[in-house]
Each structure stands twice: as C-alpha cells, then as structure tokens.
Amino acid sequence: MLKAKGQFQCTCGKTHTVPPIEIVFEENATRNIEAFFENATYVVDENTAKLVETPKRRTIRLEAEGRVLATMENIEKVASQVLTDHIVSIGSGSLTDIAKYAARLTNKNFSCFPTAPSVDGYTSSVAAILIKNEKTTVQAVVPQKVVVDMNVVSEAPLDLLRAGVGDIAAKVTARLDWMLSNLLTEEPICEFAWEELRDLLNDVLENSEKVLNRDRNVILSLMKALLVSGLNITIVGNSRPASGAEHMISHSLEMYHENRNEIPMFHGLSVAMGTYITLKAYRVIFEELKLKQECLTNEERFSILSEFFGEEKARKFVRVHERKKLPGRVQLSRVREALKHTYEQFSEKVENALKTVRVDELLARYEPEFIEKLILISNTIRERYTILDLLDSLCLLKDFSHRVFEI
C-alpha cells in the first residue's frame, strides 16, 4: 500500500523503517475468521460479537453502558484473561486501542479486524488511553496483520462513516500545523507522509457524500487512506503526521466528558469539530481578517482548565504549556507563502466534507460560550506547536474564540 519499503532516508534527516504489516482485503472474511488469525484471543463488544463468530473459550467480551471506552480497567481485563500469544481486536477505535495496549503490557502479538472505516488507529503504533480520566497517547504494539472485509466496513453505522470522514479530513489541518511548526520552530518534517496520503485523501474529500451513501469504491479509498495514515504514525514514531490542533480540541472535548463520567461522541466526530475550528483559525491568517488584540492571561487560562478538568490537571496542563517551544518574532507573510499551496488546494474540499458530515449539528450540541472556552485551553494539553499557539502569541486567540462562527 505504501510506496516506501524497508528502510529509507527521510527529509527529516532520519532513516525510517516501514513495518512488515500484512494488510488483507478479503470479501466475506467473517465466515471463517480463524483462517486469518491462528490460535488468537479475540476482543469484542456487544455489537461486534454479532458480526463475527469466534471461539467462545478464546473470546473476551467487554461490556459497558453506552459504549466500551479504552480505559485501563478494560485493558487490564484483557491482559488478565488472554489465553494465547496473539490478541485480535474485532471492532473500531476503542477496542483496537484496548487490544494493542494490552498486547504491549503482556508482550503478545496483535492483529485487528476493523469493523468500520472510522479511525486511523488500526495500523498505528500508538493508542489513546484513558488514564485517570485523562486522554493519554501511549506506545502500543504494531499489528502483524489487518484483515478488512468490505462487506462489514461498508455496512458500519452511519455515525462511524461520518467519523471516518472527519478523521481523514483532519489530515489536512494536521499537515498545515506540521508545516507551520517546521517553518517557525524548525521542527523536522517528514515529507513522505503527505506524499503517501495525498491522492487517497483527495479522492475521499471530493467524494465524501458517496461515503455516507455507502459507495464501496469510495469507502475503500477511505479505508486505505486511514490505514496509510496509521502507517505514517508508525513509521515517523509519533502522531504528528495525523494530528494537530484539531486533535487537541478533540482530546480536550473528550476529556471534558470523560472527567464527568459521560460518554463522548465518536472520536472522528469530535475531530470533525476540531478540524472546523482549526480551518477557521487558518482563515484568519490567509484572509488577513482583523481581530481585536487581547491577550489571554495565565489566570484566565488556569480558571478555564480548572473548570474543565479540576485544579490538579489544570496545573499539569499549565506546566505542559509553559514547556512548549515558541518562535520569536513571526512574519505572517512567510507563513502565508509557505502554506499557501496546501491551504488553497484543500481548504474548500475539507469545508465541503465537514458539511457532508453535518459538523454544524455537532457544534450545535454545545453552547457558544463552551466552544469559546474549549478553544482557549486546547493548546495547553500537548507541547505540540499549532495554529492555536500562533493566534495565542499574537493575542488573537481570545477574539477568535468569540467570533469563530462568524469567520
């Protein structure tokens, strides 16, 4: 699937290695799952257990009110019950993260059987885990094999198809943020990641309505794009190729709900919200919109963080923000020149894809004042430099958060 093979010299200056993951597209693979995964222990939930028949003795079924989340409790349950040297997840994002991290903790092999084209985590080497109600990205196990049955993924629930479009659209803003950081903070950038993904991404964005209409050819492009995105994360060694400000907004929103023992929306849907906001932030720069300069104070930042996550986590995130590498004087003309081609080529396509997944309906679930606060604190949860940091340093983030729906 990737053009890059084995080891190769990257533009970032490092030598990268492409992992030997076997990716299989097989019609009706559900009819004989054991033919693909020898002597495996399967991880399922109430919904995915109905899709595939697995040996009862080697099946761990996770249950929860609402939806199974990637908590340490569920990971420890899998780790304590696994009977073989091979763990296979049958599900989408959360079950995949649970299985791959349980495999790391128990030194087992991991493979997966995706049931929806909703996330890029199937081929990635990281997992998003809830540890004490804090979303934490941890190193996990790279899959030996990924088996995709197009009959299954094409019939995934509509919200999971929407989530897949949201997660893949985010790769554009992630790319812009990586280019921005490369320009302003000299963070190394791996150009192969964009080159491998660009054409598949373009196909999905131009045909996003067909995804929701269950067009198998476009869903195949979406599935391949998500698998390539996950491979990019694995090869680079972190989530930078796939995650920027939009994911920081998403993670902040998810943690807000999880901190209150509430079930957040599917990850790709909250990412769609974050992508909408992040693209608006870039519009401020590219269209030279006039915003009122008013700096966010440390006291205001801490107050909102405390409201969202409690004082202990607020202090932790303030320290994360203080460690962030920030550029000196910024010439916005240089930023526009460096990012112009990518922004102009993809911004309208991303906007249209977000309309297709009805991002306005997702945003309307929250009061405007809540969205304002979410924007103001999302750049504190990671040291990663993004467009939110640029607006923050220009003292424009506050007015941007207030006027985001007008821009």
Side-chain angles (χ1 to χ4, degrees):
M1 186 177 296
L2 284 180
K3 300 183 187 73
K5 304 291 182 183
Q7 288 191 332
F8 64 96
Q9 190 69 28
C10 180
T11 53
C12 73
K14 295 181 180 178
T15 298
H16 293 309
T17 302
V18 181
I21 301 173
E22 183 182 358
I23 298 176
V24 178
F25 286 85
E26 184 75 25
E27 296 287 335
N28 302 313
T30 55
R31 294 179 182 175
N32 187 15
I33 198 75
E34 288 279 82
F36 299 95
F37 307 111
E38 185 178 353
N39 195 32
T41 297
Y42 299 93
V43 180
V44 303
D45 65 13
E46 180 182 0
N47 295 315
T48 64
K50 299 172 185 175
L51 299 174
V52 185
E53 186 175 344
T54 55
K56 288 185 178 179
R57 192 179 69 85
R58 289 187 279 112
T59 299
I60 302 170
R61 180 165 167 164
L62 300 175
E63 298 180 350
E65 289 185 19
R67 189 169 88 242
V68 172
L69 300 179
T71 62
M72 282 305 300
E73 180 183 7
N74 282 325
I75 291 161
E76 288 165 359
K77 181 176 181 180
V78 171
S80 66
Q81 295 183 20
V82 63
L83 296 174
T84 65
D85 290 332
H86 195 180
I87 303 175
V88 175
S89 62
I90 297 179
S92 54
S94 292
L95 288 180
T96 302
D97 283 342
I98 290 166
K100 69 164 76 170
Y101 194 51
R104 180 179 175 86
L105 295 181
T106 56
N107 198 28
K108 308 291 187 184
N109 295 318
F110 163 70
S111 293
C112 63
F113 183 88
T115 56
S118 55
V119 294
D120 61 7
Y122 300 119
T123 48
S124 79
S125 57
V126 298
I129 303 300
L130 264 177
I131 301 175
K132 296 180 180 178
N133 286 329
E134 182 179 328
K135 187 76 71 174
T136 306
T137 301
V138 296
Q139 288 296 313
V141 174
V142 178
Q144 285 190 334
K145 183 182 290 188
V146 180
V147 177
V148 180
D149 185 335
M150 287 302 298
N151 293 329
V152 172
V153 297
S154 296
E155 294 303 316
L158 190 61
D159 272 354
L160 284 172
L161 297 181
R162 292 170 72 196
V165 174
D167 198 37
I168 208 64
K171 308 318 166 196
V172 173
T173 47
R175 166 68 175 176
L176 290 170
D177 275 343
W178 201 1
M179 294 171 71
L180 181 73
S181 184
N182 173 252
L183 178 70
L184 298 182
T185 73
E186 298 182 339
E187 178 184 354
I189 191 167
C190 302
E191 294 294 348
F192 83 88
W194 182 246
E195 292 165 2
E196 295 281 5
L197 183 64
R198 183 176 49 219
D199 291 344
L200 285 167
L201 173 60
N202 193 59
D203 185 34
V204 175
L205 293 178
E206 288 186 341
N207 297 284
S208 56
E209 286 188 15
K210 292 183 179 180
V211 173
L212 303 192
N213 291 331
R214 302 186 187 278
D215 182 297
R216 285 171 67 98
N217 288 330
V218 184
I219 290 177
L220 177 61
S221 290
L222 172 59
M223 193 72 225
K224 287 182 176 179
L226 292 167
L227 294 175
V228 168
S229 179
L231 278 166
N232 284 339
I233 294 171
T234 298
I235 296 166
V236 172
N238 60 64
S239 63
R240 186 48 130 162
S243 171
E246 77 294 318
H247 271 74
M248 292 162 75
I249 293 167
S250 167
H251 287 319
S252 297
L253 180 61
E254 291 164 6
M255 283 194 295
Y256 173 85
H257 287 295
E258 290 154 352
N259 204 47
R260 287 157 176 74
N261 295 314
E262 299 168 354
I263 303 294
M265 66 179 72
F266 288 123
H267 175 67
L269 297 181
S270 60
V271 168
M273 291 173 57
T275 304
Y276 172 92
I277 292 166
T278 305
L279 204 58
K280 292 271 192 174
Y282 274 105
R283 183 178 293 176
V284 170
I285 301 301
F286 278 97
E287 299 185 15
E288 302 184 53
L289 301 181
K290 300 300 181 185
L291 295 179
K292 182 172 65 176
Q293 281 192 298
E294 185 180 359
C295 293
L296 180 69
T297 67
N298 291 334
E299 291 75 15
E300 288 172 318
R301 198 187 313 272
F302 182 78
S303 176
I304 300 170
L305 284 167
S306 298
E307 178 187 340
F308 271 43
F309 310 121
E311 289 193 3
E312 182 180 351
K313 286 193 179 76
R315 283 190 286 269
K316 176 183 176 181
F317 290 140
V318 166
R319 290 194 296 270
V320 169
H321 185 255
E322 288 172 346
R323 291 196 301 267
K324 189 173 298 201
K325 182 179 180 181
L326 299 174
R329 185 173 177 272
V330 175
Q331 291 182 338
L332 292 181
S333 59
R334 286 185 65 226
V335 172
R336 286 189 283 268
E337 183 61 30
L339 277 60
K340 178 180 178 181
H341 178 72
T342 302
Y343 177 81
E344 290 185 346
Q345 185 179 7
F346 282 95
S347 58
E348 186 175 349
K349 295 174 185 179
V350 172
E351 287 176 2
N352 290 336
L354 294 176
K355 288 177 183 175
T356 298
V357 301
R358 303 193 307 279
V359 71
D360 56 338
E361 179 265 325
L362 301 174
L363 289 157
R365 299 181 188 183
Y366 300 90
E367 295 294 330
E369 293 79 8
F370 177 86
I371 299 297
E372 279 187 48
K373 293 177 180 178
L374 180 66
I375 293 169
L376 291 175
I377 54 89
S378 289
N379 68 327
T380 66
I381 69 167
R382 298 282 189 277
E383 289 185 47
R384 184 165 292 170
Y385 186 83
T386 73
I387 186 65
L388 297 181
D389 296 299
L390 178 57
L391 294 188
D392 195 9
S393 65
L394 297 173
C395 291
L396 300 177
L397 188 63
K398 205 169 182 180
D399 197 33
F400 169 73
S401 71
H402 182 64
R403 296 178 52 193
V404 64
F405 297 113
E406 304 170 15
I407 294 170

